Amino acid sequence: MTHEHEHEHEHDPRAIRTEALERLLVDQGLITSAAIDTIIERYETDVGPLNGARVVAKAWTDPEYRARLLADGTTAIAELGIGGPQGEKMVVVENTPAVHNVIVCTLCSCYPWPVLGLPPAWYKDPAYRSRVVREPRKVLSEFGLTLDDNTEVRVWDSSAEIRYLVLPERPASTTGADERTLAELVTRDAMIGVARIDA
Amino acid sequence: MDGIHDMGGSHDFPASLTERDEKVFHAEWEARAFVLSNTFTGAGCANVDQFRHAIERLDPEVYIGDGYFGRWLGSVELMITDANGQVAPGRYTEHRAARELVAPPLFAVDDIVKTKNYNPPGHTRLPGYVRNRTGRVELLHGGWVYPDTHAHHEGENPEHVYSVRFDGNELWGADAEPSASVTVDLFESYLELA
């Protein structure tokens, strides 16, 4: 893992540098400190994998929506009122017993914010970014997901502005469950493609 | 540019991945650096390609040591330093990167294409591990602003973008894991028919 968490005391130079940048941008009239607080709260509470889970649960229960989602992810996701920065064009890829999809951004850490929120630390970690394209089966096994040799692995490196969401397999045991119950089962990791959904 | 940021396939970071739940931000400064960086680009002081390229220009030790949001902070600081301390909003007002193109795409789904052996000193979104490699066109995405010029004040020059799938053996040789592929989103300039 990286050294991202080693310097979190109040004298962290990055905290002091951030204060200086905040003073500069506030002085220039680009933002207020109160507006910063509001935006932070939105990312901590409203924008997150719950949006993606709603998309997945709807696709599991509505075959026509699923077809629209796989044909044009951006438009189908917008039907649920979800969109915004880092979701300008969305492609949804479907996991099946034959094909397993997993998402990465090797060049920075591009991630579909409107459906998944901000990326977890491991997604931004050099180990994930470097290794998942070279040895996806080994990396997935470290997440506890061992794929059958016959299952094809497709890694998607989001190197342009297109962002990807994995449509996980619906657990067989959930037959008859309603959309809201299903949405509660859908995890962030399954929508990145490093986990399956067990139920 | 070839640098620390271009991590695909590197052996420098062998750590195992351990899953864990976590907060969106680990410290208050991370959250504020995130919002301030978005404010800087959102106000049009820089475009996203300049922002990404400034991250790439950070010292490699800083790139790793300062972490994800530390890099964002460092990128904005570097761009302000480049401008002699000036902050100039309104220079870039269009944040959407998709563009309508008159020219039809050069390639079609299932075309076999080869990436160029292209190693520019400036910004590019052609990862090193897929240069000079042969793949199959999987998806067409329409026109998008070309980062390689947009990061350097050389215009939008939008191009068609393609998802191109590369077989694991093509990328990593005979020792590649079985039935694995990597699909990468590539600008038309990076590609030629194989």
Side-chain angles (χ1 to χ4, degrees):
Chain A
M1 287 293 166
T2 61
H3 307 290
E4 290 192 30
H5 315 299
E6 287 180 5
H7 308 286
E8 287 178 12
H9 52 85
E10 59 186 299
H11 301 303
D12 187 324
R14 295 169 298 183
I16 295 162
R17 287 162 49 198
T18 302
E19 284 172 24
L21 180 61
E22 181 168 335
R23 277 197 301 276
L24 176 64
L25 298 192
V26 168
D27 285 350
Q28 296 280 328
L30 297 190
I31 196 160
T32 65
S33 292
I36 296 174
D37 295 336
T38 305
I39 297 169
I40 291 171
E41 191 183 345
R42 193 171 80 230
Y43 271 94
E44 284 180 329
T45 55
D46 298 345
V47 184
L50 292 178
N51 283 339
R54 283 169 55 212
V55 172
V56 169
K58 186 165 179 62
W60 281 350
T61 52
D62 180 344
E64 289 178 7
Y65 182 77
R66 176 180 160 278
R68 290 201 298 280
L69 184 67
L70 294 173
D72 178 355
T74 318
T75 306
I77 289 168
E79 282 180 39
L80 304 189
I82 302 166
Q86 295 298 313
E88 186 174 349
K89 174 157 187 179
M90 291 292 309
V91 170
V92 179
V93 291
E94 184 179 35
N95 280 351
T96 68
V99 177
H100 185 89
N101 297 280
V102 57
I103 313 303
V104 66
C105 169
T106 62
L107 291 175
C108 37
S109 292
C110 295
Y111 193 72
W113 297 355
V115 281
L116 295 185
L118 297 180
W122 59 260
Y123 185 87
K124 302 176 283 189
D125 193 291
Y128 184 74
R129 288 168 54 191
S130 61
R131 294 182 53 217
V132 76
V133 289
R134 182 191 282 273
E135 44 184 11
R137 290 175 190 277
K138 184 153 187 274
V139 168
L140 292 176
S141 74
E142 290 167 14
F143 280 94
L145 175 58
T146 304
L147 293 177
D148 191 280
D149 281 351
N150 298 319
T151 302
E152 181 191 336
V153 190
R154 293 183 189 166
V155 183
W156 296 80
D157 186 352
S158 12
S159 47
E161 295 302 328
I162 297 93
R163 298 288 169 265
Y164 293 87
L165 180 75
V166 173
L167 176 58
E169 285 182 77
R170 178 174 172 169
S173 61
T174 60
T175 308
D178 65 18
E179 205 175 308
R180 180 173 299 192
T181 309
L182 289 170
E184 289 172 5
L185 299 175
V186 180
T187 64
R188 174 196 70 201
D189 289 3
M191 293 184 281
I192 304 173
V194 298
R196 282 204 188 94
I197 295 170
D198 301 314
Chain B
M1 60 182 278
D2 294 340
I4 185 80
H5 69 280
D6 190 359
M7 290 182 170
S10 167
H11 285 122
D12 277 342
F13 310 101
S16 286
L17 275 305
T18 20
E19 166 59 334
R20 55 210 159 111
D21 274 326
E22 60 195 26
K23 294 182 289 187
V24 174
F25 302 110
H26 300 93
E28 177 70 13
W29 74 264
E30 287 193 346
R32 302 193 93 73
F34 167 74
V35 177
L36 291 166
S37 302
N38 281 330
T39 299
F40 188 81
T41 50
C45 302
N47 66 52
V48 69
D49 299 304
Q50 291 161 350
F51 172 70
R52 289 189 183 130
H53 188 51
I55 289 177
E56 296 163 2
R57 290 158 55 211
L58 297 174
D59 181 277
E61 286 184 21
V62 170
Y63 184 99
I64 297 297
D66 273 4
Y68 181 69
F69 292 110
R71 296 198 277 275
W72 285 39
L73 175 65
S75 169
V76 174
E77 289 171 338
L78 182 53
M79 289 188 286
I80 293 173
T81 304
D82 286 345
N84 298 313
Q86 298 301 304
V87 174
R91 184 162 184 182
Y92 299 93
T93 52
E94 173 55 86
H95 300 298
R96 288 171 51 86
R99 295 289 181 275
E100 291 292 329
L101 292 183
V102 176
L106 284 182
F107 310 113
V109 168
D110 286 338
D111 276 356
I112 304 299
V113 292
K114 188 171 186 186
T115 50
K116 295 177 184 171
N117 188 7
Y118 168 63
N119 304 277
H123 186 61
T124 186
R125 298 296 286 185
L126 175 63
Y129 75 96
V130 292
R131 289 179 195 160
N132 207 21
R133 298 280 195 254
T134 301
R136 180 187 298 270
V137 174
E138 190 73 22
L139 301 169
L140 271 61
H141 294 297
W144 295 82
V145 170
Y146 187 52
D148 302 39
T149 55
H150 202 222
H152 297 283
H153 305 280
E154 292 166 7
E156 294 191 344
N157 304 303
E159 292 190 1
H160 288 279
V161 170
Y162 306 83
S163 290
V164 180
R165 177 168 302 161
F166 300 90
D167 188 77
N169 293 108
E170 170 70 7
L171 298 178
W172 317 114
D175 293 336
E177 290 184 349
S179 27
S181 65
V182 185
T183 307
V184 187
D185 293 335
L186 299 174
F187 287 81
E188 197 164 80
S189 284
Y190 304 158
L191 302 169
E192 54 199 7
L193 276 178

